[in-house]
Amino acid sequence: MGGHRRDQSDSHVPLRPSGDFSCASNDGFELQVRPSMSSLSGAEDGEAAGGVGGGGAHTNNNHSSNRMLHSNGNVVSISLGDVGDHDTSISARAASTGARCAKSDALKTLLAFLCLTLSAFLNFFLLTIIHDIVPREPLPDLTFKLIPQQRWAWSLGDVLSTVNSIIAFTCIAMHQHRWVVLRRLFLLGAILYGLRACVMGVTFLPPSFHNRDEICQPQVNRTAMYGMEIATRFLTYVVTLGLTSGQDKILCGDLMFSGHTIVLTLMYFVQLQYTPRGLWWLRYLAAPITFGGIAALVVSGGHYTMDVFVAYWLASHVFWSYHQIFEMRKSERANAPLSRLWWFWLCYWFEAEVPEGRLQNRWTWPFPGPEVAHRFMDRINQKLE
């Protein structure tokens, strides 16, 4: 009858639908498109018209209000009002943004993995040299005075580290922000193993085994064939990923601080931070696995007590400091006290496209199909939330 038109502003300039695209990690965050008020109003008007006599138009509006795009195997959800002819352009922009986010996510995850690989290989290389430098007389340790060293416990520590890692990586694979979590794990590992390489390279501790001559490989003099010996040792540790429980004799000297404890601790914290609320029992299961593995490392004589204490202390501080600062608002990060940490600017770029706040712990199927798996994971989420 002459009432105010909701598809126009007060200045009588038609409002055009516009999309607000947010870029996030591949297979993790939804790419959302928020329609303008005019598009919402248009949808309401279309519903009214459809209710009076435009049934066909009403049906089309409903179909256009929610769309799903698939880009590189990722489902991108778009919520729109009745945007009419702008549907196609917004869908194309959403697909383009999804592809760009996926490429950026893959690049950053690869670079984080390379950082971790560099730190780990540096540790392996230093061990091949330190083995021939460290003294052989062990230091006194309170635990060794109270509990006789148990060689079998070293294998137990390796097994518990592997079990904890399998559980943690399974949780990461199922997490809806899996690439962000995996990238963070790589970066944290790179930071801690980089610190470990610095400590190993400046102070040499003697082996902690009481029967070190039976366990440690003999030290060799520097000869013309020494370079070949170093290469052989290095390749052995790369292939076994540092797990030496199956070897008759091992290289000794990589003590301060414990690399096994870093692995156990990081995997434990990942389960604490990134599992859905309904999996509370998994956190209680992870605790005895973690601390049982740490205790086994000391009881076996493979590490001094201070090695595991320092490793746990550093891993816990780095892990929770990282999450404290990168769950802040982006505008506040650079001025926060934690931004003075030496690794802050290294990680700042990796977190640039991650939304602020704590990630929602929701599980999704990591592959495009089958559809039944996606429906099953939806039902699982309803029980875990």
Side-chain angles (χ1 to χ4, degrees), residues 34-286:
R34 302 180 184 88
S36 64
M37 290 304 298
S38 62
S39 61
L40 293 177
S41 300
E44 294 175 2
D45 292 341
E47 290 176 1
V52 175
H58 176 72
T59 302
N60 291 336
N61 285 340
N62 285 341
H63 281 295
S64 64
S65 61
N66 293 288
R67 293 182 180 271
M68 301 293 291
L69 295 179
H70 296 265
S71 176
N72 295 330
N74 306 312
V75 178
V76 181
S77 64
I78 304 176
S79 299
L80 300 172
D82 181 15
V83 296
D85 294 338
H86 296 278
D87 255 359
T88 303
S89 61
I90 292 180
S91 299
R93 288 173 57 197
S96 175
T97 304
R100 176 177 59 83
C101 294
K103 181 182 294 186
S104 173
D105 221 36
L107 174 62
K108 289 184 176 182
T109 304
L110 176 61
L111 290 177
F113 177 74
L114 292 177
C115 290
L116 174 60
T117 302
L118 178 63
S119 295
F121 282 7
L122 182 58
N123 278 257
F124 295 157
F125 178 74
L126 287 173
L127 175 58
T128 63
I129 299 176
I130 292 171
H131 171 79
D132 297 319
I133 300 176
V134 296
R136 289 290 178 166
E137 189 64 28
L139 300 174
D141 191 285
L142 179 61
T143 301
F144 300 159
K145 292 182 179 298
L146 299 176
I147 305 174
Q149 294 183 2
Q150 306 293 325
R151 180 66 190 276
W152 58 265
W154 185 256
S155 298
L156 177 62
D158 274 352
V159 170
L160 293 178
S161 297
T162 303
V163 171
N164 222 18
S165 299
I166 291 174
I167 296 174
F169 277 108
T170 301
C171 294
I172 293 174
M174 293 298 167
H175 201 284
Q176 68 170 346
H177 308 298
R178 58 186 60 86
W179 293 114
V180 175
V181 179
L182 185 63
R183 187 163 64 241
R184 288 178 173 178
L185 179 61
F186 288 159
L187 289 173
L188 291 167
I191 292 170
L192 289 167
Y193 272 94
L195 289 172
R196 185 172 185 264
C198 293
V199 174
M200 286 174 52
V202 296
T203 303
F204 312 125
L205 298 181
S208 51
F209 297 109
H210 67 82
N211 55 341
R212 53 201 173 279
D213 294 331
E214 300 177 8
I215 298 175
C216 299
Q217 295 181 16
Q219 293 177 317
V220 299
N221 297 322
R222 297 173 181 268
T223 63
M225 298 298 293
Y226 189 66
M228 184 61 68
E229 178 69 21
I230 293 296
T232 303
R233 293 173 178 178
F234 178 75
L235 289 176
T236 300
Y237 268 71
V238 169
V239 171
T240 60
L241 298 179
L243 299 177
T244 58
S245 58
Q247 301 179 22
D248 294 334
K249 289 193 174 185
I250 63 175
L251 300 179
C252 298
D254 59 335
L255 296 170
M256 177 58 69
F257 40 92
S258 171
H260 282 74
T261 302
I262 291 176
V263 174
L264 284 162
T265 304
L266 287 182
M267 298 305 169
Y268 175 52
F269 290 156
V270 164
Q271 295 173 62
L272 291 181
Q273 180 74 2
Y274 295 111
T275 52
R277 185 180 304 174
L279 289 179
W280 57 268
W281 55 268
L282 182 60
R283 303 180 188 122
Y284 287 100
L285 177 63

Side-chain angles (χ1 to χ4, degrees), residues 307-322:
D307 298 341
V308 299
F309 278 169
V310 172
Y312 182 85
W313 180 81
L314 282 174
S316 61
H317 278 67
V318 171
F319 186 94
W320 297 117
S321 296
Y322 187 102

Side-chain angles (χ1 to χ4, degrees), residues 44 55 344 365:
E44 294 175 2
F344 170 76
W365 185 248

